[in-house]
């Protein structure tokens, strides 16, 4: 496994040789100090962002110039929001599965319906609960591998897509 990580890191560094040619387009607003997920969706011209745990349970829709054009208040606590993705209909999925201390038993993916993305009121969500089969104790005696956690999220999203396709 260490060989793969080393190879991936080396290839990443080699692929980033022209990083000096990048230019800053805009600075993010102060509201977005701890962004942990970004996503663009079908049927929206905004870049959607969320902050990590300890911040308001809000999704922020930014224009390409970096201005917050829409701020959605989500009817769910931001326990530890880690990532954001979307499906082909334009629904957003918030990965509320941060579990640094391996104590959480309320892991979830929060689905935000695409029709609500331009709403001005508090947004109701669909909560998709899940758990890690390897974790039977809280906190776990041995920390669960972070890469495994990411694979679970990708797998759950793939499963959601498969359900939609059938």
């Amino acid at each position: 496994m260490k060989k793969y990580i080393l190879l991936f890191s080396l290839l990443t560094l080699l692929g980033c040789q022209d990083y000096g040619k990048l230019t800053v387009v805009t600075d993010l607003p102060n509201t977005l100090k701890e962004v942990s997920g970004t996503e663009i969706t079908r049927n929206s011209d905004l870049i959607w962002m969320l902050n990590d745990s300890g911040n308001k349970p809000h999704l922020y829709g930014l224009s390409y110039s970096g201005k917050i054009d829409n701020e959605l208040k989500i009817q769910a606590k931001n326990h530890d929001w880690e990532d954001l993705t979307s499906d082909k209909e334009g629904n957003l999925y918030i990965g509320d599965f941060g579990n640094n201390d391996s104590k959480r038993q309320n892991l979830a993916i929060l689905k935000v319906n695409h029709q609500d993305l331009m709403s001005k009121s508090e947004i109701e969500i669909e909560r998709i609960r899940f758990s890690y089969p390897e974790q039977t104790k809280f906190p776990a005696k041995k920390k669960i591998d972070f890469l495994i956690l990411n694979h679970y999220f990708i797998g759950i999203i793939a499963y959601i897509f498969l359900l939609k396709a059938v």
Side-chain angles (χ1 to χ4, degrees):
M1 182 66 169
K2 289 182 183 179
K3 291 179 187 177
Y4 291 117
I5 293 172
L6 180 62
L7 178 63
F8 176 76
S9 299
L10 180 63
L11 291 174
T12 301
L13 287 172
L14 290 174
C16 297
Q17 290 181 6
D18 290 335
Y19 66 89
K21 295 180 183 177
L22 298 176
T23 58
V24 174
V25 176
T26 187
D27 290 320
L28 291 177
N30 287 336
T31 308
L32 294 164
K33 294 178 187 173
E34 199 175 351
V35 173
S36 65
T38 63
E39 183 69 12
I40 55 173
T41 65
R42 188 176 263 194
N43 306 324
S44 174
D45 293 332
L46 300 176
I47 303 167
W48 293 97
M49 298 185 180
L50 56 81
N51 279 320
D52 203 355
S53 64
N55 290 285
K56 294 178 182 179
H58 291 190
L59 281 177
Y60 301 91
L62 279 74
S63 66
Y64 283 91
S65 65
K67 178 182 171 276
I68 296 175
D69 283 350
N70 199 1
E71 184 174 342
L72 299 178
K73 185 171 192 273
I74 305 298
Q75 280 188 0
K77 183 175 180 186
N78 182 346
H79 293 284
D80 198 354
W81 293 1
E82 292 293 341
D83 208 352
L84 189 62
T85 192
S86 63
D87 63 20
K88 64 183 178 182
E89 285 88 29
N91 301 308
L92 285 172
Y93 296 88
I94 300 168
D96 186 12
F97 49 73
N99 196 15
N100 293 340
D101 297 325
S102 298
K103 292 179 182 177
R104 287 194 58 197
Q105 298 182 48
N106 60 342
L107 305 173
I109 295 172
L110 312 176
K111 179 182 177 184
V112 179
N113 194 307
H114 71 277
Q115 286 116 346
D116 293 332
L117 292 180
M118 297 315 291
S119 176
K120 298 297 179 194
S121 59
E122 191 171 50
I123 304 299
E124 290 186 35
I125 50 93
E126 177 184 341
R127 186 179 306 272
I128 305 165
R129 298 180 191 280
F130 71 97
S131 62
Y132 301 121
E134 291 87 0
Q135 187 172 6
T136 56
K137 298 193 183 323
F138 302 90
K141 287 187 179 187
K142 180 181 174 187
K143 291 239 179 191
I144 297 174
D145 188 354
F146 179 70
L147 292 173
I148 292 172
L149 302 183
N150 285 337
H151 290 344
Y152 277 115
F153 186 57
I154 292 167
I156 290 167
I157 295 302
Y159 176 74
I160 291 167
F161 286 131
L162 289 174
L163 285 178
K164 297 281 184 190
V166 173

